[in-house]
């Protein structure tokens, strides 16, 4: 017997009138979700505004390598041959340097910087206002950091838009609910746009390589889908996809995983395609990667696969101190396998933590930041490391199960794993433990997975209508938290001083960051408005950070050098305060620091110059303050040898010392050498006149008298009112 349908109560007139109104309201609410252009504009504006507070920033961190001090970039368009034909480091170091295994070849972003120099930069000038040119007579340029920051923000906005369009294209064929499709794509792009881990890539101009490689790779993936979905425009979109992929490859080598990810996107989201067709479509991208790697990259950097970076903790974080063969000293040796892979896994866990809770942030995760206060190297036997390993094994199993069933969440996980693999330190060393910028591309997988999770949580009523309110509130709440952190973090990237002094509070155990803080603090004392007491406080702080860097990394030559410099500056302040003995002690400490540099790196390009300064300053105190003339001359002779007789101040002081000591012939010799270094220096000309007059009085004859008269005429021609008592 058939069941009777339950009779529904008749609708009242008011209810019948209310229904069209409710439907109209629902339709109005859904209007935004069905208008792609509105979402595109909103995403671009939000992305740009998140970094609008960087537009007044200066250069920071590695901007000097790729912009400020890069000999190719500063030439503008004339630097293009060097940019495209050499290792990325050559423009800064002037030659190939084995700083990281395999070298670096990223010409596209350097080319954009050179173009900015040409269009928006200004001709570089020296202190006298003369145009600066390179050794070939080509004009050099100074950049405009405001323009560069604006371009970064614009490119970031474009990337977020392309990401939105790509997610739309991925899910469009299999997601019939277009409102849900728009929500998923919008949520993915919005979460990516606001994530605070991206501040390093966007707020730092050099981070443009991360933006460009991701923009090029996602655009290639998007256009490849368009080529499949629109056969009539197959060659247009296909050609555009290959061109975009080349942009990605020439921006940074981390585009390589898209050789796999692009065909995987066909497998997951174009289920009608056979595996054979998927493989055929992947061949052009494989060919492009081969052309880039073997046709351009290898010839440019000359990599034969055997180059290895120098054994240095700042370039290889998987080193530790161990007793040397003599049993007295310590040397760096490689981690054991358990320590190496334990540390790698530990950083993987830190990346996951930062994706979920991006706080606190720092620009520096160098040794020994990740070890914490205990300074213990993570190993494979540590419980936390084992938990991280199990977590990643679980993700891998979950991804594999989803791969077989072509589940979208599996694609998000595989995207994360593939893009992370090249910076994971698992397959090859990348020169550091970890960095926030390395999460730039992998965070797309995280953002997509988060958006898919929000979609899965969408509540549905009995009529099958999805209620977006709660989930939208959650999305906007999470985005607001991310946006606040991003905007709050950006000011730290204003310049080196702001960034380093801010981040050292987060990374107090980073040798590199303590070293950097010491450097920027010492630059700070050049401000003429600072009092001597303020300068001394800054220098003591700078010396402390250098000492901390040395404690963390005993053979860190740059830290020894900076500590020595701090001692010199403090000694000079003490000398000005007539505290001669304290000044001598500080100069001796500086000399000891520079001797340590010679122990670890005898060929360091700065150590002889800095040692010369310390020795001549010590000699000045000995001679002028303590009247220990012979001891002063001994120190000056050391400085003379170190400087190869080319340091003007050393030569001047030697001339004065020998003149006071009654040896005018030697005084004249060193004053002559000083004049050769700095021609027409009035003080030296005056002293030469005095030295030759003294020599003439001691039996030097007419020749000495003629010399004295000649130098007298020369200094009087420059300034007849010259008063040596005020000048010296």
């Amino acid at each position: 017997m058939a069941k009777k349908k339950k009779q529904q109560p008749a609708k009242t007139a008011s209810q019948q009138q209310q229904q069209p109104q409710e439907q109209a309201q629902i339709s109005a609410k859904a209007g935004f979700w069905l208008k792609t252009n509105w979402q595109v504009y909103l995403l671009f504006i939000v992305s740009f505004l998140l970094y609008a507070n960087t537009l007044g920033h200066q250069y920071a961190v590695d901007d000097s390598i790729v912009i400020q001090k890069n000999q190719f970039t500063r030439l503008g368009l004339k630097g293009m041959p060097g940019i495209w034909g050499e290792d990325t480091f050559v423009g800064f170091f002037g030659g190939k340097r084995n700083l990281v295994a395999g070298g670096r070849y990223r010409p596209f972003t350097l080319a954009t910087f050179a173009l900015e120099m040409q269009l928006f930069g200004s001709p570089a000038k020296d202190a006298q206002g003369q145009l600066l040119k390179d050794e070939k007579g080509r004009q050099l340029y100074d950049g405009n950091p405001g323009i560069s920051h604006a371009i970064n923000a614009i490119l970031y906005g474009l990337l977020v838009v392309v990401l939105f369009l790509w997610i739309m294209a991925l899910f469009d064929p299999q997601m019939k609910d277009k409102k849900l499709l728009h929500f998923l794509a919008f949520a993915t792009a919005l979460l990516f746009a606001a994530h605070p881990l991206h501040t390093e890539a966007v707020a730092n101009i050099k981070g443009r390589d991360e933006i460009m490689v991701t923009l090029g790779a996602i655009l290639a993936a998007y256009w490849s889908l368009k080529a499949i979905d629109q056969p009539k425009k197959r060659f247009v979109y296909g050609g555009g996809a290959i061109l975009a992929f080349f942009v990605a490859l020439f921006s940074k080598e981390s585009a390589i995983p898209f050789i796999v990810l692009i065909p995987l996107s066909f497998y997951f989201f174009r289920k009608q395609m056979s595996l054979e067709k998927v493989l055929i479509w992947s061949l052009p991208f494989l060919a492009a990667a081969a052309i880039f790697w073997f046709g351009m990259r290898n010839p440019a950097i000359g990599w034969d696969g055997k180059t290895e970076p120098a054994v240095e903790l700042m370039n290889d974080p998987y080193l530790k101190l161990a007793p040397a063969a003599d049993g007295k000293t310590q040397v760096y040796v490689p981690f054991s396998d358990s320590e190496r892979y334990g540390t790698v896994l530990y950083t993987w866990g830190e990346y996951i933590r930062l994706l979920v809770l991006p706080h606190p942030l720092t620009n520096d995760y160098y040794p020994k930041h990740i070890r914490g206060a205990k300074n213990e190297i993570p190993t494979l036997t540590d419980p936390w490391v084992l938990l991280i390993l199990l977590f990643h094994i679980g993700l891998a199993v979950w991804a594999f199960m989803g791969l077989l069933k072509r589940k979208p969440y599996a694609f998000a996980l595989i995207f994360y794993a593939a893009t992370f693999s090249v910076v994971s330190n698992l397959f090859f060393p990348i020169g550091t433990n970890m960095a926030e910028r390395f999460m730039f591309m992998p965070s797309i997988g995280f953002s997509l997975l988060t958006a898919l999770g929000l979609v899965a949580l969408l509540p549905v009523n009995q009529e099958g209508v999805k209620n977006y309110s709660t989930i939208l509130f959650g999305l906007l709440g999470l985005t607001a938290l991310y946006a606040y952190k991003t905007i709050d973090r950006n000011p730290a990237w204003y310049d080196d001083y702001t960034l380093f002094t801010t981040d050292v509070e987060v990374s107090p155990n980073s040798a590199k960051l303590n070293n950097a803080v010491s450097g920027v603090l010492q630059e700070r004392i050049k401000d003429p408005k600072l009092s001597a007491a303020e300068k001394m406080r800054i220098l003591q702080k700078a010396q402390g950070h250098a000492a901390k860097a040395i404690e963390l990394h005993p053979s860190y030559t740059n830290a020894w050098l900076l500590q020595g410099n701090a001692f010199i500056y403090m000694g000079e302040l003490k000398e000005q305060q007539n505290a001669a003995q304290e000044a001598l002690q500080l100069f001796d400490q500086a000399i000891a620091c520079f001797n340590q540099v010679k122990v670890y790196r005898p060929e360091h390009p700065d150590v002889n110059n800095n040692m010369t300064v310390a020795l001549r300053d010590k000699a000045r105190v000995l001679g002028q303050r303590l009247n220990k003339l012979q001891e002063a001359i001994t120190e000056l002779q050391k400085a003379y040898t170190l400087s190869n007789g080319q340091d003007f101040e050393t030569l001047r002081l030697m001339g004065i010392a020998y003149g006071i000591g009654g040896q005018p012939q030697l005084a004249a010799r060193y004053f002559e050498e000083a004049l050769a270094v700095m021609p027409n220096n009035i003080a030296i000309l005056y002293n030469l006149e005095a030295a030759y007059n003294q020599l003439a009085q001691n039996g030097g004859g007419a020749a000495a008298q003629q010399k004295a008269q000649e130098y007298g005429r020369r200094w009087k021609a420059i300034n007849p009112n010259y008063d040596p008592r005020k000048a010296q």
Side-chain angles (χ1 to χ4, degrees):
M1 183 176 176
K3 291 183 180 180
K4 292 183 179 180
K5 290 185 179 179
K6 186 176 180 180
Q7 191 172 358
Q8 299 292 330
K11 293 182 180 178
T12 64
S14 61
Q15 288 175 323
Q16 290 176 350
Q17 185 179 5
Q18 199 174 16
Q19 186 178 15
Q21 293 175 353
E22 291 177 351
Q23 290 176 346
Q25 290 174 356
I26 293 171
S27 176
K29 290 179 181 178
F32 173 79
W33 296 113
L34 297 177
K35 293 185 178 180
T36 303
N37 288 345
W38 288 14
Q39 295 170 18
V40 164
Y41 297 146
L42 182 59
L43 286 169
F44 180 84
I45 292 170
V46 168
S47 302
F48 182 85
L49 290 179
L50 283 168
Y51 290 92
N53 61 340
T54 68
L55 301 188
H57 285 192
Q58 304 302 309
Y59 294 116
V61 200
D62 288 342
D63 289 343
S64 59
I65 294 178
V66 297
I67 304 173
Q68 294 169 280
K69 298 179 182 179
N70 189 291
Q71 62 178 326
F72 300 139
T73 304
R74 295 192 69 195
L75 285 170
L77 294 179
K78 292 182 179 179
M80 291 297 181
I83 289 172
W84 290 90
E86 298 284 356
D87 185 295
T88 297
F89 286 139
V90 169
F92 178 75
F93 291 109
K96 292 181 172 58
R97 293 283 298 272
N98 286 348
L99 297 181
V100 287
R104 295 290 182 265
Y105 183 63
R106 298 162 186 177
F108 188 85
T109 45
L110 259 67
T112 67
F113 297 141
L115 183 60
E116 285 174 34
M117 285 282 190
Q118 190 75 46
L119 297 177
F120 307 110
S122 56
K125 296 180 181 179
D126 60 19
Q128 287 73 42
Q130 300 297 315
L131 292 176
L132 279 177
K133 298 185 179 182
D134 70 355
E135 67 281 357
K136 295 182 179 179
R138 297 173 295 185
Q139 178 63 53
L140 297 173
Y141 293 89
D142 287 328
N144 187 328
I147 293 291
S148 297
H149 282 294
I151 291 173
N152 267 24
I154 291 169
L155 290 171
Y156 186 62
L158 291 174
L159 167 59
V160 172
V161 167
V162 172
L163 174 61
F164 166 76
L165 296 174
W166 179 55
I167 299 298
M168 288 276 291
L170 279 177
F171 287 86
D172 189 28
Q174 63 188 60
M175 192 173 283
K176 296 183 179 179
D177 185 341
K178 300 308 176 187
K179 182 179 177 182
L180 187 63
L181 169 65
H182 280 75
F183 177 84
L184 174 65
F186 185 81
T188 302
L190 188 63
L191 289 170
F192 176 83
H195 205 292
L197 278 185
H198 300 164
T199 51
E200 181 175 4
V202 187
N204 182 211
I205 299 171
K206 184 266 174 192
R208 189 178 300 175
D209 55 1
E210 300 291 346
I211 301 173
M212 290 307 304
V213 65
T214 308
L215 176 59
I218 297 298
L219 192 58
Y222 171 57
W223 278 342
S224 64
L225 286 174
K226 298 286 284 185
I228 290 171
D229 295 340
Q230 299 184 28
K232 291 183 179 179
K233 296 182 179 180
R234 179 175 300 168
F235 293 105
V236 174
Y237 282 120
I242 296 300
L243 182 61
F245 189 53
F246 269 119
V247 169
L249 289 167
F250 282 107
S251 297
K252 195 173 181 180
E253 298 93 336
S254 54
I256 293 295
F258 277 79
I259 297 172
V260 175
L261 288 173
I262 290 176
L264 269 178
S265 69
F266 303 153
Y267 168 79
F268 273 94
F269 300 100
R270 296 300 181 269
K271 297 179 181 179
Q272 76 279 9
M273 289 182 67
S274 64
L275 288 177
E276 181 182 2
K277 193 173 182 181
V278 168
L279 291 174
I280 291 173
W281 271 91
S282 68
L283 290 177
F285 298 100
L286 184 62
I291 292 171
F292 162 75
W293 198 268
F294 299 106
M296 292 291 294
R297 184 186 188 276
N298 282 4
I301 68 174
W303 179 50
D304 59 4
K306 297 179 181 179
T307 57
E308 292 294 336
V311 179
E312 160 57 40
L313 190 62
M314 291 299 102
N315 299 326
D316 183 357
Y318 304 109
L319 298 173
K320 63 181 178 181
L321 282 170
D326 59 13
K328 299 178 181 179
T329 58
Q330 290 185 312
V331 294
Y332 280 102
V333 297
F335 279 4
S336 67
D337 287 344
S338 178
E339 290 170 332
R340 177 183 175 84
Y341 293 111
T343 302
V344 168
L345 285 168
Y346 182 90
T347 60
W348 291 10
E350 285 296 284
Y351 278 128
I352 296 296
R353 180 186 65 80
L354 288 170
L355 283 170
V356 177
L357 182 64
H359 178 82
L361 299 179
T362 177
N363 81 98
D364 198 295
Y365 292 85
Y366 273 77
K368 302 172 182 176
H369 169 73
I370 67 163
R371 299 186 192 178
K374 293 183 179 180
N375 192 25
E376 295 177 352
I377 301 173
T379 67
L380 290 176
T381 60
D382 292 348
W384 179 243
V385 171
L386 290 173
L387 185 62
I388 295 170
L389 176 60
L390 290 174
F391 176 78
H392 281 84
I393 290 173
L395 288 181
V397 172
W398 190 32
F400 181 73
M401 292 171 60
L403 173 67
L404 298 178
K405 298 178 181 180
R406 301 190 184 190
K407 295 291 185 180
Y409 74 80
F411 179 75
L413 289 170
I414 293 171
F415 187 101
Y416 173 84
T419 53
F420 177 61
S421 65
V422 295
V423 294
S424 67
N425 275 314
L426 181 62
F427 302 107
F428 49 84
I430 59 173
T432 182
N433 283 311
M434 58 184 291
E436 290 165 13
R437 66 184 180 275
F438 295 154
M439 277 290 100
F440 190 79
M441 191 182 286
S443 66
I444 291 176
F446 173 79
S447 300
L448 176 57
L449 193 64
T450 305
L452 287 168
L454 290 173
V455 168
L457 293 173
L458 270 173
V460 181
N461 63 19
Q462 293 180 349
E463 285 76 26
V465 177
K466 298 179 179 68
N467 182 0
Y468 285 85
S469 301
T470 303
I471 300 303
L472 183 59
F473 179 79
L475 170 64
L476 295 179
L478 181 58
T479 302
L481 290 173
Y482 279 174
Y484 173 81
K485 180 64 178 179
T486 295
I487 295 170
D488 182 64
R489 172 62 178 165
N490 285 339
W493 286 92
Y494 177 78
D495 61 7
D496 281 347
Y497 178 84
T498 307
L499 182 66
F500 297 154
T501 54
T502 298
D503 287 1
V504 77
E505 301 298 324
V506 178
S507 306
N509 291 317
S510 166
K512 183 179 181 183
L513 194 49
N514 275 284
N515 180 74
V517 171
S518 181
V520 294
L521 287 173
Q522 291 184 50
E523 284 293 316
R524 203 74 168 179
I525 67 161
K526 296 177 182 178
D527 185 350
K529 298 177 183 178
L530 293 175
S531 67
E534 289 173 322
K535 289 181 179 180
M536 183 60 76
R537 283 195 295 271
I538 292 172
L539 286 169
Q540 288 170 342
K541 192 174 180 181
Q543 186 272 323
H545 281 290
K548 179 66 174 178
I550 292 167
E551 176 190 338
L552 294 165
H553 179 14
S555 61
Y556 198 176
T557 54
N558 283 347
W560 280 110
L561 205 65
L562 283 172
Q563 182 169 237
N565 293 347
F567 284 134
I568 288 177
Y569 290 135
M570 287 192 283
E572 290 172 348
L573 286 174
K574 288 295 183 181
E575 181 185 358
Q576 292 167 13
Q577 297 166 1
N578 294 319
Q581 292 298 337
E582 291 181 62
L584 279 182
Q585 290 176 1
L586 288 164
F587 292 139
D588 282 336
Q589 287 177 286
I591 292 167
C593 289
F594 300 141
N595 280 326
Q596 284 297 121
V597 176
K598 285 180 169 291
V599 169
Y600 297 121
R601 188 180 167 191
E603 78 289 354
H604 196 291
D606 298 325
V607 66
N608 284 347
N609 291 336
N610 294 30
M611 180 79 87
T612 297
V613 173
L615 289 167
R616 80 187 188 202
D617 282 359
K618 180 182 178 181
R620 185 176 59 246
V621 172
L622 287 167
Q624 294 180 357
R625 304 287 181 178
L626 300 176
N627 295 318
K628 296 182 179 180
L629 193 59
Q630 192 53 52
E631 291 181 39
I633 290 174
T634 299
E635 300 302 316
L636 287 171
Q637 288 289 357
K638 296 176 186 176
Y640 180 85
T641 301
L642 280 173
S643 63
N644 293 318
Q646 295 300 306
D647 182 66
F648 173 81
E649 185 63 12
T650 298
L651 294 167
R652 187 184 75 84
L653 289 173
M654 291 184 78
I656 292 173
Y658 282 115
I660 294 173
Q663 301 183 66
Q665 189 168 4
L666 285 174
R669 169 196 161 184
Y670 288 111
F671 284 138
E672 292 277 10
E673 290 187 32
L675 194 66
V677 174
M678 193 176 291
N680 295 323
N681 181 277
I682 192 169
I684 298 300
L685 292 170
Y686 179 91
N687 283 322
L688 277 167
E689 180 191 23
Y692 278 110
N693 272 329
Q694 187 179 4
L695 191 60
Q697 293 170 6
N698 292 347
Q705 190 62 46
Q706 286 179 347
K707 284 276 189 180
Q709 292 172 356
E710 175 192 345
Y711 287 120
R713 285 193 298 270
R714 287 178 62 179
W715 74 256
K716 289 173 185 175
I718 296 172
N719 181 8
N721 299 316
Y722 173 70
D723 185 351
R725 292 169 298 179
K726 295 180 180 179
Q728 294 185 185

